[in-house]
């Protein structure tokens, strides 16, 4: 049985902490990460366009890597395109969506804030999640496009002080509210988790979807070792990082790959 990888998709570097979380649970498997630089920022595009672009990129990635499972490590792509992907491809998809449910459970008092891209913050999927799991809570949705750009372009080069300053500045509207829990509804923000923690008042809970996603992947693969070659002495285990587009961004992505322990493989080519 061949060694099929687990494919992680994001428009940039935001999905890397998600890959790390799953890899920590399943270290023997092969992982492929695709940063769809051609289509960044998805969060600033219209819903229909996001769906079309993500379907196109995933079709290419499925042809190229033949994955056992795909983690859509991007909230914007997941809230818009997850259903269409499941309809189109006969492989399991795990979406990353804002962790409204655990956040609502953990909230003792104060408002629940969801920080996300413009598309996720204003879209119907988040609206439904809030209605279903946080009914009766006061929920504020905060689009923070500037922080998506910062995490993508400056996370690697900025020092801790610069990161803290930018996160504090971008979160100013949020800091004026009586917030009890903050959901990181964009995978890029997980890169800035520490800075979020230091910007928010003590006691405010910070919640992302890593644990839920890792649990879901583990349970989907459980009892299905053959598909990924798990348990066999696999020669090709490890994690590879590919770019779609991003010709001028190779150095930054080499650094991301080093930082997260992946092998940088350059541009993906359709086969
Ligand atoms: N990482 C993506 C998310 O989780 C957003 C990045 C983008 O706008 O392309 O929503």
């Amino acid at each position: 049985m061949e060694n099929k990888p687990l494919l992680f998709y994001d428009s940039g570097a935001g999905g890397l902490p998600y890959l790390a979380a799953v890899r920590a649970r399943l270290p023997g498997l092969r992982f492929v990460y695709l940063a769809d630089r051609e289509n960044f920022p998805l969060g600033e595009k219209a819903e229909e366009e996001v769906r079309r672009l993500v379907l196109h990129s995933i079709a290419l990635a499925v042809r190229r890597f033949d994955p056992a499972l795909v983690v859509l490590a991007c909230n914007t792509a997941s809230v818009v395109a997850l259903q269409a992907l499941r309809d189109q491809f006969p492989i399991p998809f795990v979406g990353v969506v804002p962790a409204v449910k655990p956040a609502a459970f953990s909230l003792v008092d104060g408002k629940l804030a969801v920080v996300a891209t413009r598309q996720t913050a204003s879209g119907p999927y988040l609206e439904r999640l809030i209605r279903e799991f946080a009914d009766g809570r006061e929920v504020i949705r905060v689009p923070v496009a500037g922080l998506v750009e910062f995490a993508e372009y400056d996370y690697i080069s900025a020092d801790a002080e610069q990161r803290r300053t930018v996160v504090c500045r971008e979160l100013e509207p949020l800091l004026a509210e009586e917030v009890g829990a903050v959901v990181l509804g964009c995978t890029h923000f997980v890169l800035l988790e520490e800075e979020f923690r230091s910007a928010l008042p003590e006691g405010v809970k910070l919640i992302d979807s890593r644990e839920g996603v890792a649990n879901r992947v583990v349970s989907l693969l459980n009892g299905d070792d053959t598909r990924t070659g798990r348990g066999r002495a696999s020669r090709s285990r490890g994690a590879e990082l590919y770019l779609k587009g991003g010709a001028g961004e190779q150095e930054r992505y080499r650094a991301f790959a080093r930082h997260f322990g992946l092998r940088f493989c350059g541009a993906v080519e359709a086969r």
Side-chain angles (χ1 to χ4, degrees):
M1 198 37 105
E2 60 196 304
N3 183 255
K4 293 191 179 196
L6 307 191
L7 173 70
F8 281 66
Y9 169 90
D10 184 32
S11 55
L16 287 166
Y18 279 83
L19 184 148
V22 175
R23 195 178 179 194
R25 299 273 299 275
L26 299 163
L29 299 192
R30 182 179 161 222
F31 293 84
V32 167
Y33 187 91
L34 179 62
D36 189 359
R37 299 303 302 142
E38 241 161 49
N39 293 323
F40 181 89
L42 288 172
E44 294 295 302
K45 296 181 167 63
E47 186 175 336
E48 202 40 58
E49 191 184 2
V50 172
R51 194 173 296 116
R52 183 176 60 75
L53 295 171
V54 172
L55 278 167
H56 184 266
S57 295
I58 293 291
L60 180 146
V62 166
R63 277 200 304 279
R64 172 69 177 79
F65 299 111
D66 188 21
L69 175 150
V70 179
V71 176
L72 217 51
C74 172
N75 290 261
T76 309
S78 298
V79 299
V80 168
L82 193 57
Q83 195 50 54
L85 289 163
R86 285 180 173 147
D87 292 344
Q88 184 155 330
F89 300 96
I91 38 177
F93 279 87
V94 177
V96 174
V97 299
V100 171
K101 188 178 174 182
F105 269 120
S106 77
L107 189 64
V108 180
D109 49 29
K111 297 174 193 168
L112 179 62
V114 182
V115 287
T117 63
R118 215 181 300 279
Q119 176 56 247
T120 302
S122 62
Y125 193 104
L126 180 58
E127 173 110 43
R128 271 200 307 279
L129 279 181
I130 292 170
R131 221 181 307 123
E132 193 170 345
F133 299 114
D135 205 24
R137 306 284 195 176
E138 195 170 346
V139 183
I140 50 174
R141 301 179 228 183
V142 192
V144 210
L147 221 42
V148 182
E149 297 273 327
F150 180 78
E152 176 63 37
Y153 294 109
D154 301 308
Y155 170 79
I156 285 290
S157 56
D159 62 30
E161 186 51 42
Q162 288 165 326
R163 291 203 293 259
R164 260 199 306 276
T165 306
V166 173
V167 171
C168 278
R169 190 188 65 216
E170 294 287 330
L171 291 188
E172 233 166 70
L174 183 67
L175 297 173
E177 306 269 353
E178 294 280 305
V179 165
V182 175
V183 176
L184 298 179
C186 167
T187 55
H188 276 78
F189 299 159
V190 179
L191 292 168
L192 299 166
E193 183 185 17
E194 254 176 60
E195 289 74 17
F196 267 81
R197 273 193 205 288
S198 67
L200 293 168
E202 223 183 295
V204 174
K205 297 195 168 69
L206 194 59
I207 293 158
D208 64 66
S209 307
R210 276 174 294 181
E211 195 184 337
V213 166
N215 288 342
R216 182 76 187 128
V217 172
V218 169
S219 90
L220 279 169
L221 294 180
N222 229 353
D224 195 8
D225 291 357
T226 50
R227 287 216 299 206
T228 53
R230 189 174 159 211
R232 291 155 19 92
S234 158
R235 276 174 297 133
S236 56
R237 72 186 210 180
E240 298 150 26
L241 189 157
Y242 293 84
L243 298 180
K244 179 166 171 281
E249 305 186 306
Q250 303 234 345
E251 274 322 301
R252 194 171 85 254
Y253 271 88
R254 269 182 214 287
F256 271 124
R258 266 197 307 278
H259 191 79
F260 283 92
L262 284 77
R263 189 159 63 85
F264 180 72
C265 297
V268 69
E269 286 156 31
R271 268 188 193 156

